Amino acid sequence: MKSPTRESDTRRAALRDGLLTTVDLLKRRRAAEITDATIDEYVALHWLEWHGGSLRLTTTGENMCRQLSSQLDRASPRPAS
């Protein structure tokens, strides 16, 4: 049986892994493809916030996206010049 902390850590990691996709959906105005529960979890983590009826990244969410993008850039092989 998993402990509550381990389950929350696993869920947080899953949310982190999906954050860039979620942000992309928001930018393309396809928020309907994100479940209400997932949105609630991002808001609870302070990665997203409601602003005038729409969702936007918080400063924490922006920093998380930068970190994830940086990790992806380092993991991607670069073509030889």
Side-chain angles (χ1 to χ4, degrees):
M1 176 183 242
K2 288 185 177 181
S3 70
T5 302
R6 180 176 271 170
E7 286 180 14
S8 65
D9 288 347
T10 301
R11 184 61 185 147
R12 183 181 174 111
L15 289 166
R16 183 191 64 230
D17 292 345
L19 183 60
L20 293 177
T21 300
T22 298
V23 170
D24 182 59
L25 288 171
L26 292 173
K27 286 180 180 177
R28 293 187 290 136
R29 302 199 181 278
R30 295 175 65 181
E33 296 179 29
I34 307 165
T35 66
D36 291 344
T38 299
I39 290 170
D40 290 343
E41 289 175 293
Y42 281 126
V43 170
L45 288 169
H46 304 286
W47 294 355
L48 292 177
E49 66 184 355
W50 288 103
H51 182 75
S54 60
L55 285 167
R56 69 176 181 187
L57 281 168
T58 63
T59 300
T60 303
E62 288 175 2
N63 290 337
M64 184 66 70
C65 284
R66 276 192 213 104
Q67 179 184 9
L68 292 167
S69 294
S70 176
Q71 289 173 356
L72 286 173
D73 287 345
R74 285 184 294 210
S76 300
R78 308 237 176 202
S81 311

